[in-house]
Amino acid sequence: MDIEDLAARIEAGERRALARAITLVESGRADHRAQATALLDRLRGGGRQGLRIGLSGTPGVGKSTFIEAFGMMLTGQGLKVAVLAVDPSSARSGGSILGDKTRMERLSRDRRAFIRPSPAQSQLGGVARRTREAIGLCEAAGFDVILIETVGVGQSETMVADMSDLFLLLLAPAGGDELQGVKRGIMESADIILVNKADGELKGAATRTCADYAGALRLLRKRPQDPEGFPKALTVSALEEAGLAKAWEEMQALVGWRRGAGQFAARRAEQARHWFEAEVREGLLARLRKEPVRGAMSALASRVEEGQLSPARAAEEILDTYLRGYAGKGP
């Protein structure tokens, strides 16, 4: 693969090249990983920067409908929008439906939009392992806004907050007891809560739910990356496309404040460090799955099963033999 040619085509905004590059970074083959790393290094100094918006929400809340309506509004303003949608994978077969393009039919036909569904596979956190790299590719291709849709809602889905500039939590109208169904971890990560389906008979319930969440947000500890009034809760209707312009206005206001306060750049730097450490951890786990470590682990596992060794002692032997031997050595 000609990495220089592929990089030039991505920078020119060629969609097929972008799709091919994302397929490359998602591959687990060693030769593909080497090519993907070279490609990302080549594109890293381009200086292009899009707004990364993470989006999570309970199943059935209307994430795809919201993303399509919101994305169409942004493209109507002349912005280029990329959607990275992560679908849950089967625990048995590893397969995914990847049906986001069919759920966002209008947006998928928009020439200023790009939709890429990816399987979550075994990755926790609601995002695929290489989603962060796919974001970088979309930025290099000149997209102004990158929307990252996660698998679902829960404490593990806070991982998307570590790769986005804004984190939106989309919720459906319900009574005050519904607050118990949303984990505190994801509430603390959210920058803006959007109560969807604020239309028809549900409009009143949506308004009350929004007030409930606004009150809950005021009880959370103040974060240094927030100006006065944030995080906040708003009502939207993806069906009627109501409240979308107001939500976008609030997002821009928050990003503008963070840029002026130096929080935007500092957060991106912190995220880069976080993902460096995550890559080291993943690399170590990958080595544990290869020989000769894999064989040694299997032998020790048999001794643990027979009661000859405790799990803690067996783990210590593996670490002493294959990892601590690197201590004190230079790069």
Side-chain angles (χ1 to χ4, degrees), residues 2 21 40 57 59 70 85 93 102 106 145 165 203 229-230 254 289 291 314 317 322 324:
D2 189 337
L40 292 165
F70 186 61
S93 67
T102 62
R106 284 191 305 147
V145 179
D165 303 314
K203 190 169 185 178
F230 283 90
L254 179 55
R289 290 189 286 266
E291 298 295 349
E317 284 193 24
Y322 293 102
R324 291 180 187 171

Side-chain angles (χ1 to χ4, degrees), residues 182-201:
V182 179
K183 303 296 185 182
R184 183 184 174 113
I186 200 168
M187 284 278 288
E188 290 177 330
S189 299
D191 295 306
I192 298 176
I193 290 178
L194 299 175
V195 181
N196 193 24
K197 303 184 179 182
D199 49 58
E201 296 179 355

Side-chain angles (χ1 to χ4, degrees), residues 4-309:
E4 185 61 37
D5 176 65
L6 183 59
R9 288 163 56 199
I10 290 171
E11 290 175 329
E14 190 177 317
R15 298 158 68 94
R16 286 187 179 181
L18 176 59
R20 186 181 180 189
I22 294 177
T23 299
L24 180 67
V25 302
E26 288 179 344
S27 174
R29 281 177 42 176
D31 57 334
H32 287 175
R33 283 308 306 157
Q35 291 176 329
T37 301
L39 176 63
L40 292 165
D41 285 343
R42 162 63 178 78
L43 294 170
R44 187 165 49 89
R48 292 181 175 179
Q49 192 178 79
L51 178 61
R52 308 168 184 176
I53 302 177
L55 178 72
S56 189
T58 51
V61 74
K63 291 194 296 292
S64 296
T65 306
F66 171 81
I67 289 174
E68 180 171 57
F70 186 61
M72 292 294 294
M73 183 192 74
L74 295 180
T75 58
Q77 297 177 8
L79 299 174
K80 292 181 66 179
V81 178
V83 179
L84 301 176
V86 182
D87 273 12
S89 297
S90 166
R92 294 183 178 180
S93 67
S96 295
I97 295 175
L98 303 179
D100 291 272
K101 279 196 172 183
T102 62
R103 293 197 299 266
M104 305 178 198
E105 188 178 354
R106 284 191 305 147
L107 189 61
S108 66
R109 296 198 303 264
D110 194 314
R111 297 184 64 181
R112 303 188 69 85
F114 173 83
I115 302 175
R116 173 67 182 223
S118 298
Q121 298 175 333
S122 60
Q123 184 74 18
L124 295 177
V127 291
R129 181 183 173 189
R130 299 300 172 187
T131 298
R132 178 186 56 85
E133 294 175 349
I135 292 171
L137 293 172
C138 290
E139 288 185 317
F143 284 92
D144 303 296
V145 179
I146 299 100
L147 296 168
I148 309 110
E149 178 193 2
T150 69
V151 169
V153 64
Q155 285 179 306
S156 65
E157 268 64 41
T158 56
M159 185 183 290
V160 74
D162 290 323
M163 63 176 68
S164 57
D165 303 314
L166 292 176
F167 180 38
L168 310 181
L169 180 58
L170 199 63
L171 299 172
D177 289 342
E178 185 68 13
L179 284 168
Q180 302 298 324
V182 179
K183 303 296 185 182
R184 183 184 174 113
I186 200 168
M187 284 278 288
E188 290 177 330
S189 299
D191 295 306
I192 298 176
I193 290 178
L194 299 175
V195 181
N196 193 24
K197 303 184 179 182
D199 49 58
E201 296 179 355
L202 289 175
K203 190 169 185 178
T207 302
R208 291 190 296 272
T209 301
C210 182
D212 288 339
Y213 285 113
L217 289 173
R218 284 193 291 270
L219 297 177
L220 298 180
R221 186 169 53 188
K222 182 73 174 175
R223 305 181 305 183
Q225 69 267 31
D226 293 331
E228 192 62 35
F230 283 90
K232 63 174 54 179
L234 303 169
T235 58
V236 295
S237 169
L239 189 64
E240 296 181 351
E241 300 183 3
L244 300 182
K246 173 64 175 175
W248 177 233
E249 181 183 314
E250 295 289 356
M251 292 178 215
Q252 290 177 299
L254 179 55
V255 170
W257 184 89
R258 286 179 176 173
R259 287 187 189 275
Q263 292 286 346
F264 190 91
R267 179 161 177 75
R268 284 215 170 181
E270 181 184 339
Q271 289 175 348
R273 182 185 181 94
H274 168 84
W275 288 106
F276 156 69
E277 294 173 351
E279 283 296 318
V280 171
R281 289 192 295 271
E282 289 290 343
L284 290 174
L285 289 173
R287 291 193 179 190
L288 290 175
R289 290 189 286 266
K290 295 178 181 178
E291 298 295 349
V293 187
R294 184 175 179 179
M297 286 185 66
S298 179
L300 284 171
S302 297
R303 295 178 64 189
V304 170
E305 287 178 348
E306 295 168 2
Q308 298 176 13
L309 276 179

